[in-house]
């Protein structure tokens, strides 16, 4: 079913490319400029969006082995991810149940975590197994003092967690079947080659750029944009979107010869998965996935975006994952060069522009920003952001149950 959907999307892109057309939104949309600069709104977004909705917290290949763990902070919440003995993933509030001190930092491999404040010890499945000097501390029910567990879900080689231990929102429902399409990448068997974190502008300013091909030939004229179309068609799965160029051609870089393929001349079973997933895949509210090749090896950059401490700040962790671990110096060098190039593009072009844009918007002299008919991705993103910001917890559950049912029916 998922391949059939990908084929259907690809045939749509081919038809539009052949006709020289694209799918347009109904009208130009205005978004209040204060959406990007209002500090009170920014604080509500962190609470209502980033602390209530499922977030893609790690690619599976970041913690592939039993005992692997990663500690991180998201919107003021300390999170601990662990790969447990049975291969499943645990997501916990990274706070000792004695006094709240984080029990882990950074990443590594451990079967247990000992709090550095008083020495309480927890297994990597969250169970409290040791209270220091128990004869002095007094009797406690260890089973009632395990690390607080967050809802967690692993699918398509990606890991989601909801930073609300009482959330009733199904993560599978929230994804609206989108993860079944992401299976085509094969991430669950991929290799994490490298990662880095960049500072960025307001999180929505930064995210707008992942939903926009319109800027590619202009902003990126001196890097790669002169070779790209400025058109994109959008495919929606609830708030999640895929952007791809309406064209009948694809570049088959993985073969090592940069061949341009006329997809209209291929049967469905002749179109490879790497071609079917071309474009940019976004997972609301903070993930972008795009395919790249380093030294002829298939790879992808997964960009994980979070709001910063202030309204004009965000940070993005870039994960460069590869289908295979490069095995020789030439391939390793080429992969590093590809990843370094992507850093330059995002840091020095996208995010530098976004930061300048934010400073200008803070003047308060511009009432609205515009999203054209050719920028439907941004229109959809801001519509969902506003809707989810106002939805109650119960409305979220109902909303995504309906979305999941609708996608399943289609």
């Amino acid at each position: 079913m998922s391949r059939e959907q990908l084929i259907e999307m690809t045939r749509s892109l081919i038809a539009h490319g052949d006709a020289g057309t694209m799918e347009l939104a109904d009208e130009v949309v205005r978004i209040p400029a204060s959406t990007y600069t209002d500090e009170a709104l920014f604080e509500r977004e962190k609470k209502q969006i980033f602390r209530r909705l499922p977030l893609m917290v790690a690619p599976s290949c970041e913690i592939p082995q039993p005992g692997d763990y990663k500690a991180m902070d998201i919107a003021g919440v300390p999170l601990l991810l662990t790969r447990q003995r049975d291969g499943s993933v645990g997501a916990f509030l990274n706070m000792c149940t004695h006094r709240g001190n984080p029990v882990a930092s950074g990443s590594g491999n451990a079967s247990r975590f000992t709090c550095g404040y008083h020495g309480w010890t927890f297994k990597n499945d969250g169970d409290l197994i040791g209270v220091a000097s128990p004869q002095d501390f007094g009797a406690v029910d260890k089973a009632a003092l395990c690390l607080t567990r967050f809802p967690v879900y692993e699918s398509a080689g990606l890991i989601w967690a909801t930073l609300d231990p009482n959330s009733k929102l199904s993560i599978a429902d929230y994804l609206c079947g989108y993860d079944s399409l992401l299976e085509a990448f094969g991430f669950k068997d991929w290799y994490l080659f490298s990662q880095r974190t960049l500072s960025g502008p307001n999180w929505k300013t930064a995210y707008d750029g992942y939903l926009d091909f319109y800027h590619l030939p202009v902003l990126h004229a001196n890097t790669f944009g002169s070779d790209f179309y400025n058109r994109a068609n959008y495919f929606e799965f609830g708030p999640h979107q895929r952007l791809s160029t309406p064209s009948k051609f694809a570049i088959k870089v993985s073969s090592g010869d940069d061949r341009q393929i006329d997809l209209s001349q291929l049967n469905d079973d002749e179109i490879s998965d790497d071609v079917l997933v071309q474009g940019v895949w976004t997972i609301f509210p903070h993930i972008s996935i795009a395919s790249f090749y380093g030294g002829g090896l298939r790879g992808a950059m997964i960009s994980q975006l979070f709001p910063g401490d202030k309204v004009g700040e965000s940070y993005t962790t870039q994960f460069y994952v590869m289908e295979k671990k490069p095995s020789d110096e030439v391939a390793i060098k080429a992969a590093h060069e590809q990843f370094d190039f992507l850093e330059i593009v995002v840091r020095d072009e996208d995010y530098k522009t976004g930061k300048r844009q934010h400073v200008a918007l803070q003047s308060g002299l511009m009432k609205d920003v515009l999203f054209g008919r050719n920028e439907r991705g941004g229109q959809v993103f801001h519509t969902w952001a506003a809707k989810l910001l106002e939805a109650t917890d119960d409305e979220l559950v109902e909303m995504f149950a309906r979305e999941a049912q609708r996608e399943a029916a289609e």
Side-chain angles (χ1 to χ4, degrees):
M1 179 59 182
S2 296
R3 181 175 173 83
E4 292 174 3
Q5 288 178 281
L6 291 169
I7 290 290
E8 184 179 348
M9 284 187 265
T10 301
R11 291 300 177 195
S12 173
L13 293 166
I14 292 170
H16 277 283
D18 211 20
T21 58
M22 67 178 295
E23 295 177 354
L24 297 169
D26 294 335
E27 59 186 357
V28 176
V29 168
R30 292 179 176 270
I31 301 294
S34 61
T35 296
Y36 300 95
T37 60
D38 186 287
E39 293 183 6
L41 175 62
F42 173 67
E43 293 300 323
R44 287 192 65 220
E45 289 168 345
K46 287 196 289 185
K47 179 180 178 182
Q48 294 292 94
I49 293 178
F50 285 89
R51 293 177 65 161
R52 282 203 309 166
L53 298 179
L55 304 174
M56 200 294 285
V57 289
S60 298
C61 57
E62 188 178 10
I63 52 169
Q65 301 300 324
D68 286 350
Y69 71 88
K70 177 176 80 164
M72 58 194 302
D73 291 302
I74 304 172
V77 177
L79 171 69
L80 174 62
L81 287 179
T82 69
R83 179 73 66 182
Q84 298 170 149
R85 181 180 297 179
D86 63 0
S88 65
V89 175
F92 308 96
L93 180 63
N94 186 17
M95 295 175 65
C96 178
T97 49
H98 174 211
R99 296 279 191 86
N101 185 55
V103 300
S105 62
S107 60
N109 186 282
S111 60
R112 60 186 59 190
F113 303 97
T114 299
C115 177
Y117 192 2
H118 295 95
W120 284 31
T121 300
F122 301 82
K123 290 170 59 179
N124 81 341
D125 63 3
D127 286 354
L128 174 62
I129 57 174
V131 174
S133 302
Q135 71 280 5
D136 299 330
F137 187 84
V140 294
D141 181 2
K142 291 180 184 177
L145 291 170
C146 299
L147 295 178
T148 299
R149 184 180 290 272
F150 291 126
V152 66
Y153 180 76
E154 186 171 23
S155 178
L158 303 171
I159 302 167
W160 283 265
T162 305
L163 303 183
D164 175 2
N166 301 312
S167 175
K168 296 181 175 61
L169 175 60
S170 162
I171 299 179
D173 283 355
Y174 174 75
L175 293 174
C176 304
Y178 194 61
D179 53 320
S180 68
L181 296 177
L182 293 172
E183 287 279 5
F185 280 97
F187 285 145
K188 64 182 179 181
D189 299 316
W190 282 32
Y191 169 73
L192 177 58
F193 176 75
S194 187
Q195 66 186 82
R196 61 168 62 96
T197 299
L198 309 178
S199 66
N202 172 270
W203 75 274
K204 286 181 294 189
T205 302
Y207 204 59
D208 283 344
Y210 295 109
L211 292 161
D212 170 14
F213 283 9
Y214 188 33
H215 75 282
L216 296 185
V218 181
L219 182 59
H220 303 303
N222 296 322
T223 47
F224 72 92
S226 60
D227 296 327
F228 275 72
Y229 297 102
N230 69 350
R231 289 178 163 186
N233 280 7
Y234 301 84
F235 304 92
E236 302 168 36
F237 301 82
H240 320 297
Q241 301 184 66
R242 176 197 177 187
L243 300 72
S244 199
T245 301
S247 173
K248 67 176 184 178
F249 297 107
I251 304 298
K252 184 67 173 178
V253 183
S254 60
S255 62
D257 57 6
D258 289 5
R259 289 183 295 122
Q260 189 176 65
I261 303 171
D262 185 345
L263 299 177
S264 66
Q265 302 302 308
L266 299 182
N267 296 322
D268 290 352
D269 58 2
E270 294 177 312
I271 303 177
S272 60
D273 282 351
D274 60 322
V275 171
L276 290 177
V277 297
Q278 287 182 352
V280 175
W281 297 74
T282 65
I283 307 172
F284 189 94
H286 71 131
I287 298 295
S288 166
I289 302 171
S291 297
F292 294 96
Y293 293 89
L297 295 175
R298 186 182 175 201
M301 186 166 77
I302 303 174
S303 299
Q304 182 190 59
L305 169 68
F306 290 118
D309 294 330
K310 299 179 181 178
V311 66
E313 299 173 351
S314 65
Y315 61 96
T316 299
T317 298
Q318 297 176 325
F319 300 94
Y320 193 63
V321 297
M322 303 185 72
E323 186 176 24
K324 298 177 181 178
K325 182 179 180 180
S327 58
D328 59 74
E329 291 185 6
V330 173
I332 292 171
K333 181 175 183 293
H336 276 300
E337 288 174 347
Q338 175 66 71
F339 193 37
D340 290 344
F341 174 74
L342 295 173
E343 178 185 21
I344 291 170
V345 169
V346 175
R347 182 193 64 206
D348 297 345
E349 296 179 348
D350 290 299
Y351 285 2
K352 183 177 180 179
T353 298
K355 290 177 181 179
R356 293 177 61 216
Q357 176 186 348
H358 186 82
V359 171
L361 289 175
Q362 281 186 309
S363 70
L365 296 177
M366 188 171 181
K367 182 180 179 181
D368 300 311
V369 299
L370 304 179
F371 285 84
R373 297 185 64 203
N374 61 335
E375 298 177 297
R376 188 159 62 88
Q379 294 187 17
V380 169
F381 165 64
H382 284 277
T383 297
W384 273 99
K387 180 165 62 173
L388 296 177
L389 186 71
E390 301 299 332
T392 67
D393 291 351
D394 288 341
E395 287 171 342
L396 285 180
V397 173
E398 295 173 4
M399 184 187 307
F400 285 105
R402 289 195 303 269
E403 288 288 337
Q405 290 170 2
R406 183 177 63 82
E407 292 296 340
E410 292 179 357

